[in-house]
């Protein structure tokens, strides 16, 4: 079984732990990695190309000339791997390895053991032993509030939508990553809502799994700017409108009112 990992990179030349990536590839010959250079202004592309040399069958480098944000970087990488490999599953993880390879392999194992040709497994930091999670108190508190709002928007109790490690079966990846995302940073929410809209809540929950991580570290050097953060409420509103109501706008008014009532009801109860 071939497994593919997409790793988005923006100005990561000074942070990439390529020795860890190299060790992982040596120990796991059924994994292929695609690094996506998202229009970096430093020498990230050069570093990635040098690492690729001699590992061309295991390491791919997709170069986006312009910086388009994490969402588009991952989408481009996933579609590239769909076109250029026969990977059974495709996932993504952060370049700083905040989620380690052991946890990523655990997600893959959970996907292949419990889910059929359509499926998605995401990592969750909410149940990690506090001794194994490195995170500021402010970020923990803000994340808890943020997740509560997201659960209300999605209409499903998902503990951690924003963890940077997720794995999809090939068919699901092909379905969820074709269209561009609304948000550069909140695309994880869109992935869940796309799957919910495609299968319906009940069926989705049979094809979806949230797996607790054993360890997670908050690494310095976040690419999210203050300006990005101030746009999150607006982006959440756009996401809610596009995925909760827009799909029904082509129906007759009576149908729209009925669906809207059921949607609101599912959020509240």
């Amino acid at each position: 079984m071939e497994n593919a990992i997409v790793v988005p990179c923006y100005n990561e030349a000074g942070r990439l732990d390529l020795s860890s990536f190299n060790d992982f590839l040596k120990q796991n010959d059924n994994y292929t990695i695609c690094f996506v250079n998202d229009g970096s202004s430093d020498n990230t592309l050069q570093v990635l190309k040098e690492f690729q040399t001699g590992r061309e069958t295991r390491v791919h480098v997709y170069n986006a000339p312009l910086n388009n944000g994490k969402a588009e970087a991952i989408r481009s990488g996933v579609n590239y791997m769909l076109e250029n490999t026969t990977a059974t599953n495709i996932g993504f993880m952060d370049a700083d390895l905040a989620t380690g390879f052991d946890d990523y392999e655990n997600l893959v194992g959970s996907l292949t053991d419990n889910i059929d040709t359509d499926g998605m497994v995401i990592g969750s930091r909410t149940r990690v032993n506090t001794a194994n999670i490195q995170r500021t108190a402010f970020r923990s508190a803000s994340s808890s509030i943020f997740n509560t709002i997201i659960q209300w928007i999605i209409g499903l109790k998902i503990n951690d939508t924003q963890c940077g490690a997720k794995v999809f079966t090939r068919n699901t990846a092909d379905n969820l990553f074709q269209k561009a995302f609304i948000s550069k940073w909140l695309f994880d929410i869109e992935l869940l809502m796309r799957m919910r809209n495609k299968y319906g809540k009940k069926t989705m929950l049979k094809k979806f799994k949230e797996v607790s991580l054993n360890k997670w570290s908050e690494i310095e050097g976040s690419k999210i700017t203050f300006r990005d953060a101030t746009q999150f409420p607006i982006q959440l509103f756009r996401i809610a409108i596009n995925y909760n109501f827009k799909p029904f706008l082509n129906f007759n008014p009576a149908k729209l009112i009925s669906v809207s009532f059921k949607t609101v009801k599912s959020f509240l109860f």
Side-chain angles (χ1 to χ4, degrees):
M1 180 180 66
E2 184 181 357
N3 310 288
I5 307 175
V6 173
V7 181
C9 301
Y10 176 65
N11 291 348
E12 298 285 357
R15 298 204 308 166
L16 278 169
D17 183 2
L18 293 177
S19 62
S20 292
F21 281 100
N22 185 52
D23 291 343
F24 176 75
L25 289 172
K26 284 184 177 180
Q27 296 165 12
N28 299 274
D29 58 7
N30 59 334
Y31 276 83
T32 303
I33 297 177
C34 175
F35 293 97
V36 179
N37 177 51
D38 186 26
S40 298
S41 57
D42 65 359
N43 64 329
T44 294
L45 180 60
Q46 179 184 344
V47 170
L48 293 176
K49 287 290 188 180
E50 290 175 357
F51 181 69
Q52 182 187 34
T53 303
R55 305 179 181 88
E56 286 81 3
T57 60
R58 307 285 308 285
V59 176
H60 298 257
V61 177
Y62 180 92
N63 181 42
L66 300 176
N67 174 241
N68 294 307
K70 185 177 181 180
E72 185 59 25
I74 290 177
R75 193 178 78 88
S76 297
V78 169
N79 285 313
Y80 174 88
M81 294 303 269
L82 285 170
E83 294 174 7
N84 293 278
T85 73
T86 58
T88 305
N89 61 74
I90 300 175
F92 59 84
M93 64 189 303
D94 293 330
D96 58 17
L97 297 179
T99 300
F101 288 114
D102 288 345
D103 273 316
Y104 187 89
E105 288 184 272
N106 190 33
L107 297 182
V108 172
S110 183
L111 178 74
T112 56
D113 288 345
N114 300 288
I115 299 178
D116 57 18
T117 55
D118 295 314
M120 172 183 183
V121 171
I122 70 174
S124 176
R125 297 161 293 185
T126 57
R127 297 178 184 174
V128 178
N129 186 319
T130 54
N132 294 326
I133 186 166
Q134 301 174 28
R135 197 179 207 183
T136 64
F138 173 77
R139 187 161 181 176
S140 294
S142 59
S143 178
S144 178
I145 296 172
F146 189 66
N147 281 336
T148 300
I149 296 172
I150 292 172
Q151 287 180 17
W152 184 81
I153 291 174
I154 298 176
L156 292 168
K157 185 174 176 53
I158 297 173
N159 294 309
D160 187 3
T161 62
Q162 301 308 110
C163 178
K166 294 178 173 63
V167 188
F168 312 82
T169 60
R170 184 182 185 89
N171 190 53
T172 297
D174 191 31
N175 285 325
L176 300 186
F177 285 90
Q178 289 305 312
K179 294 183 179 180
F181 296 103
I182 294 171
S183 172
K184 290 183 178 182
W185 297 106
L186 304 181
F187 69 98
D188 304 80
I189 303 170
E190 295 186 62
L191 286 170
L192 292 165
M193 297 182 83
R194 287 180 181 187
M195 193 166 186
R196 182 203 67 184
N197 287 358
K198 178 175 176 60
Y199 299 107
K201 289 183 183 180
K202 290 184 179 179
T203 302
M204 173 195 170
L205 291 176
K206 296 178 182 178
K207 299 175 178 291
F208 166 85
K209 194 170 185 181
E210 190 171 13
V211 177
S212 296
L213 302 180
N214 292 310
K215 186 177 181 180
W216 185 83
S217 299
E218 180 181 342
I219 309 297
E220 292 295 330
S222 173
K223 302 302 187 300
I224 301 177
T225 66
F226 176 76
R227 181 180 179 182
D228 290 328
T230 60
Q231 295 297 310
F232 284 177
I234 297 173
Q235 291 177 18
L236 279 174
F237 178 76
R238 291 183 61 202
I239 289 170
I241 293 298
N242 274 269
Y243 290 96
N244 286 335
F245 298 104
K246 192 174 181 179
F248 308 111
L249 293 181
N250 291 328
F251 290 99
N252 61 58
K255 180 72 172 180
L256 177 58
I257 292 172
S258 174
V259 170
S260 299
F261 175 75
K262 289 179 181 178
T263 302
V264 172
K265 184 178 179 181
S266 68
F267 289 159
L268 297 176
F269 302 101

